[in-house]
Amino acid sequence: MNLPKEYTEKMKRLLGNEYDSYIESFSQPRYYGLRANTLKVTPEELTSMVDWKLEQVPWCKEGFYYDGENVRPAKHPYYNAGLYYIQEPSAMSTGAMLNVEPGDRVLDLCAAPGGKSTQVAAKLKGQGIIVSNDISASRCKALLKNIEVSGVPNCVITNEMPENLAKKFPKFFNKIIVDAPCSGEGMFRKDDSAVKSWETHKTEMCCGLQREILKYAADMLCDGGIIAYSTCTFAPEEDEGMMQEFLNTTGKDFEIIDYDKSTGFIDGKPQWVENGEDYLKKSGRLMPYKVKGEGHFLCLLRKKGEASEPVYAKDKTASEKSLVDYYEFVKNSLNCPPKDNLIIHGSSLLSVPYCVDLRGLRVMRSGLYIGELKKNRFEPSQAFAMTLKKEDAKISIDFNLYDENLKRYMRGESFAVDCNDGWCLVCVNGYPLGWGKVTKGRLKNKYLPSWMNI
């Protein structure tokens, strides 16, 4: 690879006698990874279901390597069913090392396309809330799809600047992910375009963005909460140096805490920073010549103090009268009870995870999109289907992987079926893919056209 001279000189200086090993890693093949979505399937179940080899990623028990040269998991129906998320192995480390528990209030501040959001959402198990934000409206579209495919029921998706979120959520979250925009040096082997981006987006510019993002993240973190700060660069100014600067700026409010490095991490490098403090060793790095993955930096920052519950906005749930058609749908089509905290936005029915005040923010989704309230009827959404289990529906069709009607369904076609009339949950080997409406033995396809990939 034709690496910039300025970059190679810097890496020689940082790595010393390990520089040759780093350069040699460019001749090695890149590693491909996917992560089991534990909202739907266990890692053990996934390995028994697919017919390609999976090797566990050491730092993520739900993560696996696969042969990306010969296997195309994004073209498999299980991908459409949300059973796994395709993710670079080192990128799984942030969500794996952040101790998210059911009921937590999580913010993913730079979330698109959704790898870390879907990972921690699975840890929440549908309890608590995750706010997934990105400043790019176009990237938020991919984020929204990945959240919905994964069947996440408790996510708010925003397209905002960090300072605007900070005004709405002072000391609200107890876990925050800052996967910071960076110079991307750790991605050079994986992506040739990262080198060109490095030449344009210099470290100095990235440091300015990181500094600002961390400032507002600190404002939104409650006492006792944790920020997981990660980058995919080797630049010490953006990694250990940014952590030391942040701690110096916040005084005695924060501390760096340890995490398990036995799975491939090396200690942070205070010697790479001018006047680097010894506590920076508590941060960690994944180096591509030491592990099966790309370059990654991770630091966990704890805000000192005792945790407390935030103040929530006033409950504004929809009235019983406005939900008559939805309740009729539930009665006729579902074996599970209605979702809680239902609100109506226009004609859309949503289930919100918490009563949070989102007024004044650019919101792409304020919770789980249940469906549309039409005139005298209710139409369930694709997103709602992805949160259900096969047994939740009164009528379902379950295709095996080799059924021609499965292919027809995923192409958006209608076809004859042998089941009762009504809303039907279409599944593959027991896992929901979406809806169909059956009338007189024929299924009208309700699969979202934008989700078709075979």
Side-chain angles (χ1 to χ4, degrees):
M1 178 173 288
N2 187 22
L3 297 171
K5 183 178 180 180
E6 179 185 352
Y7 173 72
T8 56
E9 291 300 318
K10 181 187 78 169
M11 294 303 288
K12 285 179 184 178
R13 191 168 60 251
L14 294 176
L15 295 177
N17 58 14
E18 293 187 347
Y19 176 76
D20 289 342
S21 297
Y22 168 62
I23 292 300
E24 187 179 343
S25 72
F26 282 90
S27 64
Q28 302 300 316
R30 59 169 287 195
Y31 294 96
Y32 296 83
L34 59 83
R35 178 176 40 76
N37 176 14
T38 55
L39 286 174
K40 295 174 177 284
V41 66
T42 67
E44 294 77 17
E45 287 170 337
L46 182 63
T47 56
S48 68
M49 291 168 62
V50 299
D51 57 1
W52 60 82
K53 182 181 178 182
L54 295 177
E55 176 189 348
Q56 187 170 17
V57 174
W59 47 86
C60 180
K61 63 182 179 180
E62 300 89 18
F64 297 95
Y65 301 101
Y66 69 91
D67 179 3
E69 299 300 322
N70 299 297
V71 176
R72 294 292 180 268
K75 296 296 183 181
H76 197 285
Y78 288 160
Y79 176 78
N80 296 70
L83 302 193
Y84 51 81
Y85 183 94
I86 297 171
Q87 189 175 23
E88 195 281 313
S90 293
M92 301 176 189
S93 62
T94 305
M97 296 303 163
L98 181 60
N99 183 27
V100 171
E101 298 177 336
D104 278 346
R105 305 174 305 280
V106 183
L107 169 64
D108 189 354
L109 200 45
C110 313
K116 294 171 179 64
S117 283
T118 54
Q119 187 175 12
V120 299
K123 289 186 172 185
L124 289 174
K125 298 181 180 179
Q127 302 171 46
I129 183 174
I130 176 167
V131 175
S132 297
N133 177 75
D134 204 273
I135 63 171
S136 167
S138 60
R139 283 168 58 82
C140 273
K141 293 178 182 177
L143 171 62
L144 173 61
K145 179 183 176 181
N146 285 325
I147 289 289
E148 292 187 338
V149 170
S150 298
V152 178
N154 55 333
C155 185
V156 172
I157 299 176
T158 57
N159 170 216
E160 270 298 349
M161 299 296 290
E163 58 263 41
N164 294 333
L165 290 175
K167 294 173 185 176
K168 287 288 185 181
F169 296 107
K171 289 192 170 185
F172 181 84
F173 301 100
N174 64 335
K175 306 285 169 61
I176 296 179
I177 296 174
V178 176
D179 187 40
C182 69
S183 52
E185 296 170 357
M187 293 292 110
F188 284 1
R189 179 176 65 174
K190 174 187 173 185
D191 185 3
D192 291 346
S193 65
V195 178
K196 295 180 181 179
S197 179
W198 180 87
E199 294 173 324
T200 303
H201 302 96
K202 295 292 187 180
T203 288
E204 294 79 9
M205 185 185 77
C206 293
C207 283
L209 293 171
Q210 293 155 4
R211 197 172 291 120
E212 182 178 16
I213 291 169
L214 280 167
K215 173 183 180 297
Y216 293 113
D219 292 341
M220 288 185 276
L221 189 70
C222 71
D223 292 346
I226 297 172
I227 294 174
Y229 176 86
S230 61
T231 74
C232 56
T233 191
F234 303 116
E237 301 92 332
E238 303 176 53
D239 296 339
E240 292 92 348
M242 185 56 58
M243 296 296 90
Q244 182 162 298
E245 179 184 325
F246 175 76
L247 291 177
N248 289 339
T249 302
T250 56
K252 298 180 180 180
D253 292 342
F254 281 82
E255 62 182 347
I256 297 179
I257 61 174
D258 289 307
Y259 57 89
D260 180 14
K261 297 202 185 84
S262 65
T263 53
F265 283 90
I266 62 170
D267 288 345
K269 299 285 189 178
Q271 65 269 31
W272 288 4
V273 178
E274 184 177 357
N275 299 318
E277 298 283 356
D278 202 51
Y279 60 69
L280 294 173
K281 291 180 180 178
K282 292 182 179 180
S283 63
R285 291 176 174 273
L286 294 172
M287 305 299 281
Y289 55 93
K290 292 179 178 288
V291 300
K292 294 180 179 179
E294 307 307 323
H296 203 75
F297 174 84
L298 173 62
C299 185
L300 300 183
L301 297 154
R302 180 184 176 274
K303 194 172 189 178
K304 298 176 183 177
E306 295 298 322
S308 60
E309 281 291 308
V311 176
Y312 300 111
K314 188 176 180 181
D315 195 343
K316 294 184 178 179
T317 55
S319 67
E320 294 285 321
K321 182 178 179 181
S322 63
L323 297 174
V324 169
D325 293 329
Y326 170 66
Y327 289 135
E328 185 68 16
F329 161 79
V330 171
K331 176 183 174 182
N332 294 331
S333 306
L334 299 180
N335 296 316
C336 57
K339 293 290 182 180
D340 295 328
N341 301 321
L342 298 174
I343 65 168
I344 297 173
H345 183 73
S347 61
S348 299
L349 179 65
L350 300 107
S351 173
V352 297
Y354 267 98
C355 298
V356 292
D357 183 7
L358 301 174
R359 290 173 298 178
L361 297 177
R362 289 193 296 270
V363 180
M364 293 202 66
R365 187 74 84 227
S366 55
L368 172 62
Y369 175 42
I370 303 290
E372 288 294 309
L373 294 161
K374 305 281 189 176
K375 186 176 181 180
N376 299 322
R377 60 190 172 90
F378 174 79
E379 289 196 1
S381 73
Q382 179 86 27
F384 185 34
M386 302 306 290
T387 67
L388 299 175
K389 294 181 172 59
K390 176 185 173 182
E391 57 267 25
D392 291 334
K394 291 188 175 179
I395 305 172
S396 64
I397 298 176
D398 194 6
F399 296 122
N400 66 51
L401 290 173
Y402 310 103
D403 196 310
E404 283 300 314
N405 279 340
L406 172 63
K407 297 178 181 179
R408 293 187 181 100
Y409 179 73
M410 295 180 69
R411 289 195 299 261
E413 299 173 10
S414 296
F415 47 88
V417 292
D418 182 18
C419 67
N420 296 332
D421 287 2
W423 284 100
C424 172
L425 190 63
V426 180
C427 306
V428 54
N429 287 344
Y431 296 97
L433 287 165
W435 297 104
K437 186 73 178 290
V438 179
T439 305
K440 297 180 180 179
R442 190 162 186 84
L443 182 138
K444 184 177 181 181
N445 200 315
K446 296 293 183 176
Y447 195 66
L448 277 181
S450 60
W451 286 26
M452 298 175 190
N453 68 353
I454 64 171

